[in-house]
């Protein structure tokens, strides 16, 4: 069999993937401009929004309109891991990975039309808090808060750090630690200071930059390969020059242009794609703090729906923006991107199991002219920063509102604001500490593990939320045991996956049957079924939930009028905050006034004045200075209105949104059918 390759010129003998192509001064100027822009937007949004209350800081004051919400949902979802990972799977196995993206198209709409009305009616800030209101008790809330923080730190932050590191180190030849520390410093500044509003507005800018850059690269790569037809014919000839002759290693998959693949022997079996993928996807889009928090920040339900529609339309693009360019990269550089020999792969990218992860950075460095390369670098950094800030903000919300408030129920609002900000700084440090681990687990293996981790840990949580929202009879005991049993099974499978990694191409498969024959998407289906059964059985065998655990907390009761008792109960934590909230800022004011009005002849005065000015500047940066000005009138203005009005929609707007919903679903179904 012949092993011709389309462009042998792409191989350089020393296997250097990115032969010293340093950035030109124009590229560096573009990068610097990008950073200036991002910081400017971050500072502007800090100026513009009220950051001095818990709602202002963690929910952007509930004042966001639809387009920043939609852009932020997209930017939080599409991290640098997406660019590297989707292009890599495109290069390795074709378009099937797009299924993850197009699944999200529908799930983000399910969030806005089915889940959000319930969350808004319940008046919650975090997802564990919703379960606490719906089921009562503290154990589910604590369990879930800790699980969410675990998932964020071990999967999301590490994936993004890995992908960002790959790019910075290999494509830019920068020192990894310095680069990452600088990036994180910039992100931490506006995340700590500006809260969710700053994150959402900078996300909107990052989305714009990502779309411009990625579409530019897409056009360049399609021109290079001769359009879609060129891609479809040349992809199957993209075979590396050195490979084992009589094995399938290094050959492109025959079903590369199909999303639906063989249910038994393929890498993404179609029943798993339809059902098994949808369950983690529902968890991510409908119950994940990062996503829901953005939607809750919208002015009202209509704006939240508009944001979801915008995200859903944008989710059409990854196939053309990331997956296909990855496939084109394989056509242009088959010996590097599609290497099939473990030794050669290790020389190329340090990962014996394959180098498809370099597909996207390789395209950026090779295809783009000066200036655009700098733009594309900013795109990758934008993707990294936007997803990291989103995780930082949401993780700090969960930590502050679910864990801290549990241990200090009478803490002031002032204290919550400080804790939230300090936790972001803590996460920044954690992210930096991840780098050596990420480098040790070099390569795509890490990436694949993390995709499967989500299939093992998320289904039980997703099913508990779905049953809690749509089945009135579900109770605390059912939900708790459903979570525990589901997660135990998930962890067992996870451990098995780590002990028995997938064999490399050409090696024999010695894994136990449950790992070998049970695809992780099928496992996700089984896990969801077991969790659901557990919740159903335990709930039916124990006492039904009380009236206030259902009122305004399920789909069927979302329109209930707040019960009188409820009215007294629901602002109570806020009221308690109000009572003890005035203490701390007032005290702060007394100190600063005392220091400024103290006798002038004392030498300390200037010092105290300096201190108070320094303090004022610091507090302004953290958005807490208005807190002091309004300290006296904080108590009367504190009780926030119950979010009843935000469920109402204007009839005309509602019709426009519903028509768009139909259009979007039809577009999604057409794409699925066309590429299936």
């Amino acid at each position: 069999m012949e092993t011709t390759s389309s462009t042998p010129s792409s191989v350089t003998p020393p296997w250097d993937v990115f032969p010293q192509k340093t950035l030109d001064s124009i590229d560096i100027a573009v990068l610097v401009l990008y950073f200036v822009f991002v910081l400017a937007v971050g500072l502007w949004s800090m100026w513009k929004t009220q950051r001095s209350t818990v709602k202002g800081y963690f929910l952007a004051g509930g004042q966001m309109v639809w387009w920043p919400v939609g852009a932020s949902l997209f930017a939080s979802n599409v991290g640098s891991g997406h660019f590297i990972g989707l292009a890599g799977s495109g290069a390795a196995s074709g378009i099937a990975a797009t299924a993850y993206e197009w699944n999200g198209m529908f799930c983000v709409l399910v969030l806005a039309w089915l889940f959000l009305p319930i969350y808004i009616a319940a008046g919650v800030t975090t997802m564990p808090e919703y379960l606490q209101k719906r089921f009562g008790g503290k154990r589910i809330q604590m369990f879930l808060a800790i699980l969410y923080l675990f998932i964020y730190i071990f999967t999301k932050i590490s994936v993004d750090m890995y992908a960002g590191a790959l790019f910075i180190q290999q494509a830019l030849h920068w020192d990894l630690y310095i680069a990452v520390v600088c990036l994180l410093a910039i992100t931490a500044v506006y995340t700590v200071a500006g809260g969710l509003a700053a994150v959402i507005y900078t996300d909107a800018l990052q989305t714009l930059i990502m779309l411009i850059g990625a579409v530019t690269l897409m056009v360049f790569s399609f021109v290079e390969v001769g359009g879609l037809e060129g891609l479809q014919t040349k992809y199957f000839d993209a075979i590396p020059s050195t490979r084992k002759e009589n094995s399938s290693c290094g050959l492109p998959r025959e079903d590369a242009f199909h999303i639906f693949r063989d249910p038994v022997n393929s890498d993404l079996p179609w029943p798993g794609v339809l059902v098994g993928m949808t369950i983690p996807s529902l968890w991510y889009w409908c119950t994940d703090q990062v996503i829901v928090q953005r939607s809750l920040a919208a002015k009202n339900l209509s704006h939240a729906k508009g944001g979801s529609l915008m995200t859903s339309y944008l989710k059409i693009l990854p196939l053309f923006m990331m997956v296909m360019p990855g496939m084109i990269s394989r056509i242009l550089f088959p010996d590097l991107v599609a290497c099939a020999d473990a030794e050669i792969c290790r020389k190329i990218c340090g990962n014996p199991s394959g180098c498809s992860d370099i597909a996207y950075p390789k395209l950026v460095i090779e295809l783009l002219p000066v200036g655009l390369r700098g733009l594309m670098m900013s795109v990758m950094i934008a993707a990294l920063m936007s997803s990291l800030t989103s995780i930082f903000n949401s993780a700090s919300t969960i930590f502050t509102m679910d864990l801290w408030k549990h241990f200090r129920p009478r803490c002031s609002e002032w204290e919550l604001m400080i804790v939230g900000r300090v936790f972001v700084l803590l996460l920044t440090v954690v992210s930096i500490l991840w780098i050596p681990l990420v480098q040790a687990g070099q390569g795509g293996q890490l990436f694949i593990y993390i995709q499967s981790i989500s299939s093992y840990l998320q289904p039980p949580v997703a099913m508990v939320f779905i049953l809690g929202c749509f089945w009135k009879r579900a109770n605390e005991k059912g939900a708790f045991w459903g979570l525990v049993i589901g997660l135990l099974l998930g962890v067992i499978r996870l451990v098995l996956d780590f002990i028995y990694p997938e064999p490399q191409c050409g090696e024999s498969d010695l894994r136990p049957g449950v790992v070998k024959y049970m695809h992780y998407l099928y496992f996700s289906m089984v896990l969801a079924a077991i969790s659901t059964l557990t919740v159903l059985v335990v709930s039916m065998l124990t006492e039904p939930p009380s009236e206030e655990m259902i009122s305004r907390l399920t789909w069927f009761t979302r329109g209930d009028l707040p019960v009188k008792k409820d009215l007294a109960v629901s602002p109570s934590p806020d009221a308690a905050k109000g009572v003890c909230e005035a203490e701390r800022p007032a005290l702060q004011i007394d100190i600063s006034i005392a220091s400024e009005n103290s006798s002038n002849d004392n030498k300390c005065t200037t010092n105290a004045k300096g201190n108070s000015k320094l303090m004022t500047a610091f507090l302004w940066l953290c958005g807490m200075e208005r807190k002091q000005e309004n300290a006296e009138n904080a108590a009367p203005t504190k009780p926030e209105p119950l979010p009843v009005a935000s469920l109402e929609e204007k009839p005309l707007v509602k019709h426009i949104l519903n028509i768009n919903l139909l259009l979007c679903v039809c577009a999604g179904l057409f794409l699925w059918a066309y590429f299936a």
Side-chain angles (χ1 to χ4, degrees):
M1 184 189 156
E2 271 194 302
T3 51
T4 51
S5 56
S6 48
T7 46
S9 60
S10 68
V11 186
T12 43
W15 299 116
D16 184 10
V17 192
F18 301 105
Q20 197 54 42
K21 271 204 175 182
T22 47
L23 286 184
D24 291 280
S25 42
I26 302 176
D27 292 326
I28 291 169
V30 171
L31 262 177
V32 170
L33 253 175
Y34 158 74
F35 279 119
V36 170
F37 255 126
V38 170
L39 266 178
V41 169
L43 292 167
W44 168 80
S45 55
M46 280 162 54
W47 210 199
K48 187 177 177 295
T49 52
Q50 188 200 5
R51 309 165 279 150
S52 55
T53 61
V54 167
K55 189 176 180 192
Y57 184 75
F58 289 125
L59 285 181
Q63 287 305 310
M64 286 291 157
V65 289
W66 63 274
W67 61 268
V69 171
S72 181
L73 284 173
F74 184 72
S76 313
N77 169 239
V78 176
S80 45
H82 261 70
F83 281 95
I84 303 277
L86 278 177
S89 11
S93 67
I95 67 169
T98 317
Y100 281 103
E101 299 306 295
W102 289 355
N103 217 312
M105 274 182 77
F106 300 112
C107 294
V108 70
L109 297 173
V110 171
L111 164 71
W113 265 262
L114 296 181
F115 283 87
L116 259 190
I118 305 171
Y119 298 150
I120 292 175
V124 292
T125 319
T126 70
M127 294 294 92
E129 183 191 353
Y130 167 76
L131 286 191
Q132 192 267 322
K133 281 191 173 185
R134 170 67 179 84
F135 294 120
K138 274 284 178 193
R139 55 185 185 171
I140 293 187
Q141 183 182 12
M142 304 301 293
F143 187 50
L144 214 68
I146 292 165
L147 177 74
Y148 270 40
L149 290 177
F150 173 84
I151 289 179
Y152 289 157
I153 292 170
F154 283 88
T155 68
K156 298 191 172 187
I157 292 182
S158 55
V159 168
D160 284 327
M161 294 304 291
Y162 161 66
L166 183 102
F167 213 84
I168 289 168
Q169 205 178 8
Q170 301 204 331
L172 295 180
H173 297 290
W174 287 353
D175 179 278
L176 192 58
Y177 284 92
I178 297 172
V180 170
V181 171
C182 293
L183 279 184
L184 289 175
I186 292 174
T187 40
V189 166
Y190 64 81
T191 313
V192 169
L196 186 63
V199 173
I200 287 183
Y201 280 121
T202 45
D203 275 356
L205 173 72
Q206 314 269 38
T207 300
L208 185 69
I209 293 171
M210 277 198 274
L211 290 176
I212 294 171
V215 169
T216 312
L217 181 63
M218 174 183 90
V219 171
F220 270 92
S221 40
F222 272 117
V223 166
E224 185 75 22
V225 83
L228 195 59
E229 272 122 37
L231 169 64
Q232 284 171 334
T233 50
K234 292 178 187 168
Y235 181 74
F236 295 104
D237 302 330
I239 300 165
S241 48
T242 35
R243 61 179 203 87
K244 299 191 184 84
E245 269 309 302
N246 45 12
S247 75
S248 64
C249 299
L251 291 178
R253 291 183 66 95
E254 285 171 16
D255 53 6
F257 286 91
H258 300 286
I259 287 184
F260 283 0
R261 299 185 171 178
D262 185 274
V264 183
N265 302 320
S266 68
D267 55 342
L268 286 175
W270 68 263
V273 166
L274 281 183
V275 184
M277 195 182 274
T278 308
I279 298 160
S281 195
L282 279 173
W283 173 85
Y284 179 74
W285 287 103
C286 303
T287 72
D288 183 12
Q289 183 65 26
V290 172
I291 298 297
V292 177
Q293 194 173 348
R294 271 139 198 71
S295 303
L296 287 175
K299 258 185 184 164
N300 54 34
L301 188 57
S302 302
H303 278 285
K305 285 181 174 177
S308 283
L309 275 168
M310 175 177 166
T311 309
S312 188
Y313 282 124
L314 287 175
K315 291 293 278 177
I316 294 173
L317 295 173
L319 169 66
F320 308 101
M321 261 178 14
M322 301 167 201
V323 179
M324 286 182 170
M327 299 168 81
I328 291 171
S329 186
R330 176 181 178 133
I331 295 172
L332 299 177
F333 319 105
D335 286 327
L336 299 176
V337 174
C339 69
D341 184 280
E343 278 314 300
I344 294 177
C345 287
R346 191 178 272 113
K347 281 179 197 154
I348 293 175
C349 63
N351 176 13
S353 50
C355 286
S356 55
D357 278 353
I358 63 167
Y360 205 81
K362 185 73 181 154
L363 268 190
V364 172
I365 298 289
E366 296 288 340
L367 279 193
L368 291 181
V370 175
L372 283 178
R373 214 177 298 144
L375 172 74
M376 215 46 225
M377 292 297 161
S378 353
V379 168
M380 294 302 298
I381 292 170
L384 174 68
M385 281 169 66
S386 63
S387 44
L388 280 182
T389 48
S390 307
I391 295 162
F392 287 173
N393 185 268
S394 299
S396 93
T397 310
I398 286 185
F399 178 79
T400 311
M401 305 304 284
D402 291 318
L403 297 177
W404 192 265
K405 263 174 96 170
H406 172 69
F407 294 116
R408 289 182 55 85
R410 291 194 50 76
C411 64
S412 65
E413 184 156 12
W414 179 259
E415 183 179 324
L416 290 177
M417 310 296 302
I418 290 176
V419 169
R421 288 166 160 94
V422 169
F423 191 71
V424 172
L425 292 175
L426 196 76
L427 280 177
T428 324
V429 175
V430 169
S431 309
I432 294 170
L433 297 179
W434 257 116
I435 303 174
L437 288 172
V438 164
Q439 282 178 301
Q442 257 300 325
Q445 286 309 313
L446 175 85
F447 204 86
I448 292 155
Y449 280 146
I450 282 158
Q451 290 310 325
S452 47
I453 284 180
S454 52
S455 310
Y456 303 149
L457 298 184
Q458 294 161 3
V461 184
M463 296 324 292
V464 165
F465 268 100
I466 291 169
L467 289 167
C469 288
F470 300 101
W471 186 46
K472 289 198 231 174
R473 185 67 180 73
N475 65 14
E476 200 269 349
K477 291 189 176 72
F480 181 74
W481 287 109
L483 274 177
V484 168
I485 290 173
L487 284 166
L488 269 177
L489 291 172
V491 168
I492 291 170
R493 169 72 199 245
L494 230 177
V495 171
L496 284 175
D497 260 16
F498 271 104
I499 300 173
Y500 302 105
E502 209 175 329
Q504 285 175 20
C505 185
E507 292 179 3
S508 51
D509 195 342
L510 303 170
R511 298 175 296 168
V514 66
V515 181
K516 185 173 170 181
Y517 299 115
M518 184 108 173
H519 193 277
Y520 65 86
L521 291 176
Y522 287 147
F523 185 78
S524 151
M525 289 156 74
V526 173
L527 201 53
I530 293 174
S531 303
T532 309
L533 267 173
T534 311
V535 179
L536 292 173
V537 172
V538 177
S539 291
M540 293 310 282
L541 293 177
T542 48
E543 69 287 346
S546 61
E547 191 52 45
E548 66 258 22
M549 286 185 186
I550 298 173
S551 174
R552 298 181 70 77
L553 290 167
T554 69
W555 173 256
F556 308 101
T557 57
R558 67 189 190 286
D560 289 8
L561 287 172
V563 194
K564 276 281 175 279
K565 194 180 89 176
D566 239 64
L567 264 171
V569 171
S570 90
S572 74
D574 287 346
K577 267 186 281 172
V579 174
C580 55
E581 166 208 357
E583 298 163 18
R584 195 161 303 217
L587 196 103
Q588 212 85 24
I589 283 184
D590 291 344
I591 293 171
S592 57
I593 291 175
S595 68
E596 292 197 24
N597 296 352
S598 57
S599 50
N600 280 335
D601 52 7
N602 199 332
K603 242 181 194 174
C604 300
T605 359
T606 50
N607 197 9
K609 246 185 184 170
N611 268 350
S612 77
K613 275 188 179 148
L614 218 142
M615 193 66 185
T616 316
F618 173 72
L619 290 175
W620 175 82
L621 183 69
C622 286
M624 291 178 165
E625 94 292 9
R626 295 170 208 184
K627 192 101 218 84
Q628 299 185 342
E629 293 160 18
N630 306 336
E632 295 90 55
N633 28 344
T637 54
K638 184 64 205 92
E640 284 165 4
L642 277 161
V644 183
S646 48
L647 277 179
E648 292 168 9
E649 296 180 90
K650 292 178 184 160
L652 175 67
V653 176
K654 194 174 178 174
H655 289 319
I656 294 173
L657 286 168
N658 287 338
I659 290 167
N660 260 297
L661 170 72
L662 275 175
L663 283 174
C664 201
V665 169
C666 292
L669 290 173
F670 168 75
L671 286 168
W672 272 98
Y674 183 80
F675 285 100

